[in-house]
Amino acid sequence: MDSAPLLAVEALQAWYGESHVLHGVNFSVNRGEVVTLLGRNGAGKTTTLKSIMGMVGKRSGSVRFEARELIGLASNEIARTGIAICPEERGIFASLTVEENLELPPVIGPGGLTRARIFELFPNVAERLASQGTKLSGGEQQMLAIGRILRTGARLLLLDEPTEGLAPVIIQQIGRTIRALKDEGFTIVLVEQNFRFAATVSDRYYVMEHGRVVEGFAQPELDAKRDKLREYLGV
């Protein structure tokens, strides 16, 4: 069995203009895992996802996916390696219908989900195909944004705050979806403020502070870490 991680991030630094945001981030993700980045607002979690995808002005260090170095590649080239991001702002196109939004990203490899399977995961999306993308509720937009990247054949999914601002019933549905995707062989990196939600789907956690990973632990250690987590997260 291949013991090398699917994704290995080492000494990752990133800048927005003159602002130095990441200061040597280190973590790894194994094939088939759900790994969550935790931390307060401004800790660098979203920037870490964007840096993996090459969506920042400048970055250095190492990002290896399936042992291939990505740090010199443009974001469109990185997407073709099999990584997809679902951004916090969701990125639904107002001028397109739900169906057109769903079909927009190109297929980059085998193993993507069929439309029928996506509609099983997100029945609400199937019912709204002819609607304008931005006419959907926040929860439906989130489902569409996730469904859209499941078609592509990407096997590593970066999900940025997928439950933010959503009703509890929608959060439960997204949790079921993440568990189903893991069962189907997807690997997921999750950025999540809702720690109770993260605890229902995650295999491992990394805590970020000030643009660095300050602690990493696995799900079985969660109970022992709760008090320390409250300090880190300010909850």
Side-chain angles (χ1 to χ4, degrees), residues 12-178:
L12 180 61
Q13 307 214 31
W15 291 259
Y16 291 123
E18 297 296 308
S19 182
H20 191 178
V21 182
L22 300 185
H23 302 272
V25 170
N26 298 286
F27 71 96
S28 63
V29 183
N30 298 316
R31 195 177 299 274
E33 280 191 311
V34 178
V35 169
T36 297
L37 304 182
L38 297 168
R40 299 184 193 213
N41 281 330
K45 307 181 301 298
T46 292
T47 302
T48 298
L49 297 191
K50 288 185 173 179
S51 298
I52 291 168
M53 292 300 296
M55 297 164 63
V56 293
K58 180 185 170 190
R59 60 185 184 150
S60 67
S62 175
V63 176
R64 291 194 311 279
F65 175 61
E66 295 185 317
R68 179 183 180 185
E69 181 60 63
L70 305 182
I71 209 74
L73 299 183
S75 55
N76 62 319
E77 296 173 305
I78 292 168
R80 289 192 201 102
T81 68
I83 309 176
I85 187 167
C86 183
E88 184 179 0
E89 62 276 11
R90 296 166 190 152
I92 304 301
F93 289 89
S95 60
L96 302 180
T97 66
V98 168
E99 184 165 27
E100 289 167 335
N101 270 283
L102 188 64
E103 297 290 337
L104 192 63
V107 173
I108 53 91
L113 297 191
T114 63
R115 281 172 53 127
R117 180 68 182 117
I118 292 167
F119 296 156
E120 282 177 16
L121 292 170
F122 300 127
N124 308 49
V125 172
E127 293 164 9
R128 303 294 302 274
L129 286 179
S131 300
Q132 199 175 351
T134 48
K135 292 286 199 300
L136 303 185
S137 69
E140 288 168 338
Q141 287 192 32
Q142 185 64 67
M143 293 172 197
L144 174 58
I146 295 173
R148 189 169 58 179
I149 62 174
L150 298 179
R151 279 184 53 259
T152 64
R155 304 307 288 172
L156 174 60
L157 309 179
L158 311 179
L159 306 183
D160 191 4
E161 301 277 11
T163 69
E164 185 177 34
L166 301 185
V169 66
I170 305 296
I171 292 173
Q172 288 175 356
Q173 186 173 357
I174 289 173
R176 287 194 298 273
T177 300
I178 289 173

Side-chain angles (χ1 to χ4, degrees), residues 170-204:
I170 305 296
I171 292 173
Q172 288 175 356
Q173 186 173 357
I174 289 173
R176 287 194 298 273
T177 300
I178 289 173
R179 290 188 289 273
L181 294 175
K182 183 186 168 187
D183 289 344
E184 295 189 29
F186 287 91
T187 305
I188 296 171
V189 180
L190 190 63
V191 161
E192 188 52 74
Q193 291 283 351
N194 183 341
F195 175 65
R196 276 184 293 221
F197 170 77
T200 68
V201 297
S202 303
D203 298 298
R204 290 191 300 119

